[in-house]
Amino acid sequence: MDIQDERRRLLDAEGTDEYETVTGVRSEQDIYLDKVQNGKLYLAVFVSVLGPLSFGFVLGYSSPAIPDLITTNDDRVRLNDDQASWFGSIVTLGAAVGGLLGGWLVERIGRKLSLMFCSLPFVFGFAMITAAQNLWMLYVGRALTGLASGVTSLVVPVYISEIAHERVRGTMGSCVQLMVVTGICGAYVAGTYLGWRWLALCCSLPPTLLIVGMCFMPETPRYLLSQGKRREAEEALRFLRGPDAPVQWECARIEEACDHQGAGFKVSDLLEPCVYKPLAIGVLLMFFQQATGINAIMFYAENIFEDAHFDNRALGTVIVGLTQVFFTGIAALIMDRAGRKVLLCISGVAMTISAAVFGVFFHLTTGQHNNTSVRAMASGVEGSLGAGPEVDLAWLALASMGIFIAGFALGWGPIPWLVMSEIFPSNVKGFASAVCVLTNWGNAFIITKCFQDLLALLTNAGTFWLFSSMCAINVVFTIAFVPETKGKTLEQIQDNFRGTPAQ
């Protein structure tokens, strides 16, 4: 069906008086969206974000499990410090590979089947950890869950962006990061009550529910249309938009965009502005997300809570997790009102200031170049500031950490993943998203492994001032280059990169 014919049918069916407003005639897009019912869309999003929830359990599992594995009486699985480091960090290597695999899968077997596929290494990985009889079973189990996490971090944002309409896409897309931090917090809480084997078994429940739930959810209409399956695409849209929405109109609009973009990725596509511009933005968003220093802040979290007189370190990690959940939830609620750029800028400014203050704290409390505990550094503050009573500056570190984590959760945590899922044309989405995910996880591994060397080279204070500078660059980059995607269809976003008028 020609999109102009469908457009006229939609307008004629509604009459002309209904969409006249104070400023003129309402857009066809608004008329269509007024007929949409979101109940089953929310259901599909809820089922799909069981993947990021599983991903969060993977990230959070190591925090309560590693102390148990270091002190276990079972010599076969007892970890030393170096082995514990690899147990924690091997996930990032698996996730980097998973990102590449996910980019291939979403184009070959579709978004839905890719989500179902990624459930398997989650379940097998946690099952292997649960039954581990030696260190290699632990490592392989963690690598498998890392692989699944990499696939999930690519596929779920793409799936949600392609099933959600523009009025709720920001909120729905932000649920990805919200469920990641919920999973992290859930692992922290469960880890206070369960041993490492039972905790791994508990972590396998969300991916099990994911593979069952996705059996009843539709494939994305955009993928179906890219495969020439018009009837199946209309059925998927009817499921997602409700019985009253004239889904042929949206289907025709998507089909027209798919025809314009062509089928399949070709290397020559990288020369097109609608490809290389969003690809550069997506890669830099992922690079800057890790360059903010979020992993460094989390590295110091337990020591900071201890020195702020929190005797229970496990309680401290739960508080950090709850803070992330709360502010990520706020970001999800206001994403489609405030917009992506505004939240990125607010987030970047908050992290710039808090990381700089963190550097001031370290500058005041130590002149050492090695990583020591916060309390050890605070004990030397009298000598640094002169004679007089000892000054307790642990509150300064605690406040800086709280502001930094809240700022990250408001913007630079969820939004890079959301924008990545919005800005790429359908025919290059798999390849471009894979490059972005590889950039994120590869950078995370490098920063985590090189963090101690960075402390030795720049000192504690200098390292956090470097992170503060990167956060400031984030703000400039956001203002200058990141497009505002709030309220726009995916086709309109791609038209902006192409330099053609949005339809």
Side-chain angles (χ1 to χ4, degrees), residues 92 95-97 99-100 153-154 279-291 417 420 431-447:
T92 59
V97 175
L100 295 176
S153 63
L154 184 148
L279 180 58
I281 290 171
V283 167
L284 287 172
L285 279 172
M286 292 303 178
F287 171 81
F288 283 130
Q289 184 193 57
Q290 293 299 326
W417 298 104
M420 178 198 77
F431 168 79
S433 298
V435 173
C436 290
V437 172
L438 180 62
T439 300
N440 187 285
W441 286 107
N443 202 29
F445 177 77
I446 291 171
I447 290 177

Side-chain angles (χ1 to χ4, degrees), residues 290-297 299-300 351-352 354-363 366 368-371 404 447-448 450-471:
Q290 293 299 326
T292 58
I294 182 63
N295 289 322
I297 298 290
F299 179 85
Y300 276 108
M351 291 190 297
T352 299
S354 55
V357 174
F358 233 128
V360 171
F361 166 78
F362 285 120
H363 180 69
T366 183
Q368 297 175 346
H369 287 225
N370 60 335
N371 175 30
F404 190 96
I447 290 177
T448 302
C450 297
F451 182 56
Q452 292 293 338
D453 296 331
L454 201 60
L455 290 174
L457 179 65
L458 299 178
T459 76
N460 297 334
T463 299
F464 281 89
W465 285 333
L466 174 63
F467 291 143
S468 177
S469 300
M470 295 303 299
C471 293

Side-chain angles (χ1 to χ4, degrees), residues 198-213:
W198 283 105
L199 180 60
L201 184 63
C202 175
C203 291
S204 67
L205 294 179
T208 303
L209 295 175
L210 172 64
I211 195 170
V212 174

Side-chain angles (χ1 to χ4, degrees), residues 42-78:
Y42 295 155
L43 176 63
V45 170
F46 173 77
V47 173
S48 67
V49 294
L50 290 172
L53 181 66
S54 306
F55 172 20
F57 273 109
V58 172
L59 296 180
Y61 176 79
S62 59
S63 182
I66 285 177
D68 286 349
L69 288 166
I70 289 176
T71 58
T72 183
N73 292 325
D74 189 345
D75 294 339
R76 298 172 300 173
V77 293
R78 185 184 302 137

Side-chain angles (χ1 to χ4, degrees), residues 49 52-53 55-57 59 175-185:
V49 294
L53 181 66
F55 172 20
F57 273 109
L59 296 180
C175 289
V176 173
Q177 183 69 10
L178 177 61
M179 295 305 285
V180 171
V181 296
T182 300
I184 293 172
C185 188

Side-chain angles (χ1 to χ4, degrees), residues 270-327:
L270 295 174
L271 300 177
E272 297 292 331
C274 62
V275 175
Y276 69 73
K277 287 182 180 179
L279 180 58
I281 290 171
V283 167
L284 287 172
L285 279 172
M286 292 303 178
F287 171 81
F288 283 130
Q289 184 193 57
Q290 293 299 326
T292 58
I294 182 63
N295 289 322
I297 298 290
M298 301 305 291
F299 179 85
Y300 276 108
E302 288 194 359
N303 281 337
I304 291 168
F305 272 108
E306 180 184 2
D307 299 323
H309 311 299
F310 281 85
D311 294 330
N312 190 334
R313 289 191 177 192
L315 176 62
T317 57
V318 171
I319 291 173
V320 170
L322 290 174
T323 301
Q324 289 180 306
V325 172
F326 178 76
F327 283 99

